[in-house]
Amino acid sequence: MKSKLLVSTLALAGGLALGGIAQPNTTAEAKIHDTQMPKSFIGTWVNLSHDDISGTIYTYRETLKISKYTYKMTYVVNGRTISTANWSGKKKSHFYNHSNLGVKKGKHGRWRISQYGMNNDFNTTYKRVKHNGKQALVSLNTYDDGSPLNIYYDKK
């Protein structure tokens, strides 16, 4: 009698142990998809420009630092940082169950890069082109009247 009880107890314990191992690991938050930047965009890209407004000279420097999983834009006027955008393809968005970086391929080699799910001023369409005999990124934007505003970034 004792051996039957011992065998049943061991079988029950073994079944519970195997059942515990076989069950999937459940977490409150599922792993997000890592968003990657296009390989041809990786690197540091710079746009330098200047303007003379009523006798005052303004110098502008816009820098794009792009790695496999990050997009960082810095806009500097006269040596003072005006705005930045820093999005990660591995960091979770505050608003969605997705990474913070949104990258969408369009037609003709164009890529829409933005903060995932947000419709703001930093959403931009980029394309890799040749400009003045050098490789460059062009930001394909428009003015309010619909005329094109293309900003070229040279590889640093």
Side-chain angles (χ1 to χ4, degrees):
M1 188 69 151
K2 280 187 177 182
S3 70
K4 283 186 181 179
L5 183 61
L6 181 63
V7 170
S8 336
T9 307
L10 287 175
L12 182 61
L16 289 174
L18 286 176
I21 292 170
Q23 285 191 355
N25 225 358
T26 56
T27 59
E29 191 174 317
K31 181 172 177 3
I32 62 168
H33 169 73
D34 293 340
T35 305
Q36 294 182 12
M37 294 294 291
K39 287 181 183 180
S40 62
F41 287 12
I42 293 174
T44 301
W45 304 85
V46 178
N47 171 268
L48 299 172
S49 59
H50 62 279
D51 205 357
D52 185 354
I53 301 173
S54 302
T56 304
I57 305 246
Y58 291 92
T59 58
Y60 307 99
R61 178 184 180 97
E62 191 169 355
T63 306
L64 303 176
K65 290 186 179 181
I66 300 173
S67 71
K68 186 174 182 177
Y69 295 107
T70 61
Y71 169 89
K72 182 176 183 180
M73 185 278 303
T74 307
Y75 187 66
V76 177
V77 177
N78 289 344
R80 196 171 123 218
T81 302
I82 301 299
S83 63
T84 61
N86 194 2
W87 303 318
S88 170
K90 288 192 171 203
K91 185 177 178 184
K92 185 183 178 303
S93 171
H94 295 291
F95 308 104
Y96 300 97
N97 192 22
H98 193 279
S99 68
N100 202 21
L101 178 66
V103 177
K104 184 175 180 182
K105 186 176 183 177
K107 294 181 181 179
H108 311 293
R110 297 175 181 199
W111 291 84
R112 181 85 167 161
I113 299 173
S114 63
Q115 185 175 11
Y116 182 81
M118 296 289 127
N119 187 14
N120 60 32
D121 294 335
F122 292 122
N123 294 352
T124 307
T125 302
Y126 292 99
K127 182 177 182 178
R128 181 133 181 199
V129 296
K130 202 164 205 169
H131 181 250
N132 294 335
K134 297 178 182 178
Q135 289 296 318
L137 280 184
V138 62
S139 169
L140 304 167
N141 295 317
T142 57
Y143 288 107
D144 289 338
D145 64 1
S147 59
L149 166 65
N150 296 335
I151 301 170
Y152 291 91
Y153 300 89
D154 298 319
K155 185 105 177 190
K156 186 174 177 184

